[in-house]
Amino acid sequence: MSQKVISYADLSSINSALSSIKADMRVVNAELGGISIKHDHLKNDLLTLANSFADFVESDIKQKALQLAETRQGNLKQDLQIRFGYYAEVRRMATGILQGADTGIISDDTLRHTTEEVMIKAPGYWLAPSLVVLASWIRDDRNTSEKALSESLKRDDYKTTLFFMLVMRRLGRNEACLQWMNRYFLHQNPHDLDREFIIILEAITTGVFQPASHQLMINNIKSWIDQLTQTDNYIDKQKAQWTRFFETKGSLSEKKYPLLEEYAANWDLLKSSVTQARSHHPLNLHFKNIFETGTDHSKATKIQLDEILSLLVTNFDDEELLLQNEVRLNQLIIQEDGDKKSAQGIMDQEKHIFEEKVDFLQMLTNAAFDPELSGATKATQALAVSISQPWILEAHDTFTAKYRNKIEEKVELVIDGFETSTNDGSDETEQLQKHDQYWSGLLESELKKLTSPTAAITVGVIIAILSLIIFKIGLIGIAGVLIGGLIIWSSVNSHKNKKKKAIETITERKKKSKEVLRGCIAETVDYRKEFALEDAKAEVLRQTLTSVAPEDFSGISRDTRNILQPS
């Protein structure tokens, strides 16, 4: 008896200890749950902190790059001023001496003293002895003039030739000018032209030089184009640049086709096609603007020459280009708020324009793309485009054929599981029928997935029958029948509700899907119409390009039509 009591007492103690442990475990679990929540919060905080730190680092890098670029910009400009600042003064002096020769108000002694001082302050610079030549020529000092000319040609034969070609024309020495021009063209290599040539090309074609210079230019340029077009490399290079240029001009406003953007599986390709087709109109306006901005022929020849000569003598000397490129890169870094990658990307796009020497075809392309950066004028841009017309047309044809070949024949739609495709939206009736069939099939499939209430009904019937057999019509028997009936009613009603809900859900989805489908079809119709309309503008642009020729931009001679025509 005592052992039994002790046994029960021991079990009671164990049960109490287990209950206590269980309670402690609940507390531990609760604390672990709290720790888990705190861990998630801490993780999110750390992620936010990491992102903030990354943004801070990126911002700090940009800020330091910006500050460094601003510092370098100042240092580079100071270096340019120290090393080449006097060159600018020599260039300004060249124009001043020419104007002084026109007016005759500068004394010979002043010219002599000034130019001799230039020779001392700008050793090695080709323009300094050239100014001595001018001053000596003005005061009829042939001996000094010949010595200075020899020194100038020795320092830089090419630039000296170019300079005196322009000066002789400005002073009306046509025969001497033509001789210098012939020497100038002998210097030229169509594979490796200096940047100034595009200016001379404009000067000759717009009548700044005497008419006889046109034939000299035509003979040389025709020969150059023949040389450069012997292989496909040069032309293909220019066509590729023009094709890329065309590809950047199209645009499509956001959400113009919102349903297609959301439900067309191949929207990216569809968007690309219509965007490129939309490039023809802005391109047509672009080229018309170029062609309609011709040279102002009302300007006096002397004023035109002053502008050309000013462009020549104010262009950076070759030895300055490296520093000027560094200045440009730091300027872009400042412009891009310290984003060196973006600045370098812009610099890379401009690399053709900043090359010291380029082939003749590339020079034309540079002038056509951006006349200001290539050191030319809008008139030169029109001339360059007109001479480049054959390969611009080929590039345009290539560009047009390329996106036409890639146009998606079908618009692939995926709407809430319903997949279909349409060519142009003209098959709306067929698409709606296909849509109805899909949703009818989906509804049938969903209804088949519903579990049949047969088993539950059978159980209910069995319970009711057994209750009557075993308990007769007594209270328990009636209760059993009621329970069986309740099971049958509940299972049938549940099945009915599930079926109703499935039908309602599918019907609602079908309705929304049908609205979207109709909207997509309508947008497809609009899309195809817009594409056809914009694509047709390719021919308008082509007519604009074919309607111009180099002779349209010549102020005096019409012989420039021979540039691209066989003899």
Side-chain angles (χ1 to χ4, degrees), residues 1-11:
M1 182 70 178
S2 59
Q3 291 179 354
K4 195 172 185 179
V5 171
I6 292 171
S7 176
Y8 278 121
D10 292 340
L11 289 174

Side-chain angles (χ1 to χ4, degrees), residues 355-374:
E355 287 177 353
E356 291 186 45
K357 294 177 181 288
V358 294
D359 64 78
F360 180 59
L361 303 186
Q362 183 63 58
M363 179 172 284
L364 293 176
T365 302
N366 289 347
F369 281 168
D370 197 324
E372 292 182 3
L373 281 178
S374 61

Side-chain angles (χ1 to χ4, degrees), residues 141-321:
D141 185 349
R142 183 168 184 174
N143 184 48
T144 304
S145 178
E146 289 177 352
K147 289 180 181 179
L149 179 58
S150 177
E151 177 62 23
S152 184
L153 290 170
K154 181 180 177 181
R155 291 185 180 186
D156 195 322
D157 192 309
Y158 172 71
K159 284 189 171 66
T160 300
T161 299
L162 176 59
F163 179 73
F164 281 106
M165 178 183 70
L166 292 175
V167 169
M168 291 301 105
R169 175 60 186 90
R170 187 179 187 281
L171 298 177
R173 300 285 298 275
N174 290 342
E175 184 177 347
C177 176
L178 197 60
Q179 292 177 0
W180 280 110
M181 182 177 291
N182 187 55
R183 183 186 180 96
Y184 173 76
F185 275 106
L186 290 175
H187 269 287
Q188 305 307 316
N189 177 355
H191 300 271
D192 198 29
L193 287 172
D194 283 285
R195 292 165 290 113
E196 297 90 351
F197 180 78
I198 196 69
I199 305 170
I200 305 307
L201 180 65
E202 175 186 355
I204 296 173
T205 54
T206 54
V208 175
F209 288 92
Q210 68 273 33
S213 64
H214 283 78
Q215 192 58 49
L216 179 62
M217 178 196 71
I218 291 165
N219 293 339
N220 281 277
I221 289 181
K222 185 178 182 300
S223 174
W224 293 350
I225 293 179
D226 288 341
Q227 289 181 47
L228 294 173
T229 55
Q230 290 300 315
T231 62
D232 292 333
N233 181 52
Y234 287 98
I235 291 295
D236 287 346
K237 181 181 176 183
Q238 306 315 312
K239 288 193 294 186
Q241 291 186 55
W242 278 106
T243 300
R244 289 193 295 271
F245 176 75
F246 294 147
E247 290 172 347
T248 63
K249 293 301 179 182
S251 62
L252 184 66
S253 59
E254 294 183 3
K255 301 301 180 183
K256 184 168 186 180
Y257 300 102
L259 294 178
L260 290 183
E261 185 174 350
E262 183 174 356
Y263 296 102
N266 56 343
W267 169 247
D268 287 342
L269 297 174
L270 293 167
K271 180 181 179 181
S272 176
S273 295
V274 74
T275 298
Q276 293 185 357
R278 286 170 59 91
S279 66
H280 300 298
H281 179 63
L283 282 168
N284 191 48
L285 295 178
H286 172 77
F287 284 112
K288 279 189 172 182
N289 180 59
I290 291 174
F291 298 143
E292 291 171 0
T293 311
T295 305
D296 184 359
H297 300 300
S298 65
K299 291 184 177 181
T301 301
K302 189 173 76 170
I303 296 176
Q304 289 180 319
L305 178 57
D306 282 342
E307 291 175 351
I308 298 297
L309 183 57
S310 177
L311 284 171
L312 168 64
V313 299
T314 56
N315 271 349
F316 306 129
D317 211 55
D318 291 342
E319 55 187 326
E320 298 175 70
L321 277 177

Side-chain angles (χ1 to χ4, degrees), residues 325 328-329 332 342-351 354:
N325 284 342
R328 176 59 175 165
L329 177 59
L332 290 172
S342 176
Q344 188 61 56
I346 298 173
M347 191 73 177
D348 290 341
Q349 292 176 7
E350 297 176 353
K351 65 180 180 179
F354 283 101

Side-chain angles (χ1 to χ4, degrees), residues 65-66 69 329-340 343:
L66 178 60
L329 177 59
N330 284 281
Q331 178 186 351
L332 290 172
I333 293 174
I334 296 171
Q335 175 184 310
E336 296 301 307
D337 294 326
D339 191 338
K340 294 174 67 176

Side-chain angles (χ1 to χ4, degrees), residues 62-72 338:
K62 287 183 178 180
Q63 184 64 30
K64 289 179 178 177
L66 178 60
Q67 293 174 353
L68 182 59
E70 290 173 343
T71 302
R72 284 178 175 172

Side-chain angles (χ1 to χ4, degrees), residues 419-431:
E419 298 182 11
T420 188
S421 62
T422 178
N423 290 332
D424 54 13
S426 61
D427 55 345
E428 182 176 3
T429 301
E430 292 82 353
Q431 291 293 338

